[in-house]
Amino acid sequence: MAVPKQRHTKSRRNRRRSHLALKERSLSVCPKCKQTVLPHNVCQNCGYYKDNQVIDVLARLEKKEKRQKEKELKEADKEQVKKPLSMEGLSKK
């Protein structure tokens, strides 16, 4: 087995390990429910990916949870509709 001839210094060891540090996850916001989601992944809250429903989230829930989830989704839709358009929003339409 190979044995090193000389000991590596602490600074050399630390320079080698500088790339092993944990990096902060980059999160994006789901356009449908406004929850944080990993990029290029299906939203676990609403089941949408790129404005298409991929997973039926309500089908996997129990009766009580299903009613609560439907209520949350309706409230989220109402919030999106109630926002008044600004001058910039009006010019885009």
Side-chain angles (χ1 to χ4, degrees):
M1 189 169 146
V3 178
K5 283 191 176 182
Q6 288 186 332
R7 177 181 176 163
H8 290 301
T9 63
K10 293 176 189 175
S11 64
R12 187 168 174 176
R13 175 199 64 199
N14 293 341
R15 276 184 284 153
R16 184 184 71 241
R17 292 181 182 170
S18 68
H19 303 289
L20 301 179
L22 293 175
K23 294 176 181 76
E24 194 172 322
R25 285 184 151 185
S26 61
L27 298 174
S28 58
V29 178
C30 175
K32 182 81 175 168
C33 65
K34 309 298 186 228
Q35 292 283 331
T36 54
V37 182
L38 286 172
H40 307 290
N41 281 290
V42 176
C43 178
Q44 297 298 318
N45 188 42
C46 63
Y48 276 76
Y49 178 72
K50 290 188 177 180
D51 297 329
N52 296 323
Q53 187 174 12
V54 180
I55 300 171
D56 187 12
V57 180
L58 298 176
R60 293 189 290 158
L61 300 176
E62 292 178 17
K63 193 173 184 179
K64 201 175 217 182
E65 295 171 334
K66 189 182 282 191
R67 273 192 250 124
Q68 184 179 6
K69 189 74 166 181
E70 286 174 349
K71 190 175 182 180
E72 289 175 8
L73 291 174
K74 284 180 184 178
E75 288 176 8
D77 288 339
K78 286 181 183 178
E79 288 177 10
Q80 289 178 355
V81 173
K82 286 184 180 180
K83 291 182 184 177
L85 292 176
S86 62
M87 294 304 283
E88 294 173 1
L90 290 171
S91 64
K92 288 181 182 177
K93 281 193 169 185

